[in-house]
Amino acid sequence: MLRNIPALLSPELLHSLRAMGHGDEIVIADANFPATSHATRCHRLDGVSATDTLAAVLALLPLDSFVPDPALVMEVVGDPDAVPPIIAAFQDIIDSKADAPRPVAKLERFAFYSRAKAAFCIVQTGETRLYGNIILKKGVIGP
């Protein structure tokens, strides 16, 4: 056990967060996401929501302040302007937890899948709300 580290973050996930460098990306995915087939490293957090996972990850990981879109979500198929409740919840968490909050940007579904394949790791949660997927780009931790 360690202090001040959210308990839902597994030792393996903590290792990935620590091993990531500036500009590396992590995907927090819902239960429907094809994580195992898309991931180089797949961490499972069955039974944990994507929103709780996002809050825990942002307690340790800074968002990249050198890019315009350090947080990306999957746009709704057939309605790219829609904002599902979980996306609004992601934005609220980013606004309250990130050191440099930015509005989430959207990627078309297959563009999101392509980007996820290149991510450092994917965290498959037990999230059942549709479109509960977000990509975060790691920023710099200053001296």
Side-chain angles (χ1 to χ4, degrees):
M1 297 289 298
L2 298 172
R3 293 185 199 157
N4 303 319
I5 294 177
L8 65 84
L9 299 176
S10 68
E12 294 80 13
L13 179 50
L14 287 170
H15 179 267
S16 285
L17 290 170
R18 177 64 177 97
M20 289 173 67
H22 176 223
D24 281 339
E25 293 182 334
I26 182 172
V27 179
I28 298 171
D30 64 26
N32 290 302
F33 193 84
T36 302
S37 65
H38 280 61
T40 302
R41 292 170 200 83
C42 184
H43 302 289
R44 297 197 59 102
L45 292 179
D46 299 310
V48 178
S49 72
T51 47
D52 286 348
T53 303
L54 176 62
V57 167
L58 287 178
L60 303 177
L61 181 126
L63 290 180
D64 195 338
S65 61
F66 296 111
V67 298
D69 302 318
L72 301 157
V73 296
M74 184 186 296
E75 69 184 21
V76 174
V77 175
D79 190 3
D81 295 326
V83 180
I86 192 162
I87 302 301
F90 284 159
Q91 186 64 64
D92 289 343
I93 293 165
I94 289 169
D95 290 344
S96 67
K97 302 283 185 193
D99 358 354
R102 296 265 185 61
V104 296
K106 296 179 183 179
L107 286 175
E108 179 274 332
R109 177 181 170 212
F110 292 106
F112 190 97
Y113 287 156
S114 292
R115 187 86 171 249
K117 280 186 177 185
F120 189 89
C121 66
I122 298 177
V123 181
Q124 177 118 55
T125 69
E127 183 61 65
T128 57
R129 291 173 284 182
L130 298 179
Y131 296 97
N133 307 298
I134 187 165
I135 299 172
L136 305 175
K137 185 177 286 287
K138 186 176 183 179
V140 173
I141 297 175

